[in-house]
Amino acid sequence: MTEEAKKKAPAKETAKKAAAPKAAPKAAAKKADKAPKSGKTITVEQIGSPIAREASQRATLIGLGLNKMRRKRTLEDTPAVRGMINKVQHLVRVVDAA
């Protein structure tokens, strides 16, 4: 090996080591998902089509787990979910808020 090749080889190893810690936050995020839930749920039904709607509204429906007409989802009643429902209130109907 030439001296240049020897200098480049350790640089590849440090790049691999730097990439490894990035996987740790994903594992921490999964643990956060398993946090105890409040028990309150809300059931929403899609009543409107996302055709000819803004991309953000289509993405919000997908985020709610809705992608076809008359499909229902029971979700945890959180401010984030309420905000998503409010954003597409003309496309969904709240069936049950228990």
Side-chain angles (χ1 to χ4, degrees), residues 2-98:
T2 63
E3 289 182 34
E4 278 186 35
K6 289 180 183 177
K7 289 180 182 176
K8 290 182 181 179
K12 291 180 182 178
E13 291 175 13
T14 56
K16 289 180 183 178
K17 290 179 184 177
K22 291 181 181 176
K26 290 181 182 178
K30 288 182 181 178
K31 289 180 183 178
D33 290 340
K34 295 182 180 179
K37 297 184 178 181
S38 64
K40 293 184 179 180
T41 60
I42 185 167
T43 303
V44 294
E45 178 183 9
Q46 182 176 345
I47 59 168
S49 173
I51 295 173
R53 304 287 180 182
E54 293 182 15
S56 63
Q57 291 178 1
R58 279 182 258 143
T60 303
L61 284 174
I62 292 169
L64 287 170
L66 303 170
N67 62 351
K68 293 184 180 176
M69 297 290 291
R70 305 292 177 221
R71 188 157 288 181
K72 295 179 184 178
R73 287 289 179 257
T74 301
L75 307 164
E76 186 178 356
D77 192 6
T78 62
V81 171
R82 288 283 182 168
M84 292 170 74
I85 292 170
N86 190 39
K87 184 172 183 175
V88 291
Q89 63 188 352
H90 55 288
L91 300 176
V92 298
R93 176 173 61 105
V94 177
V95 178
D96 184 31

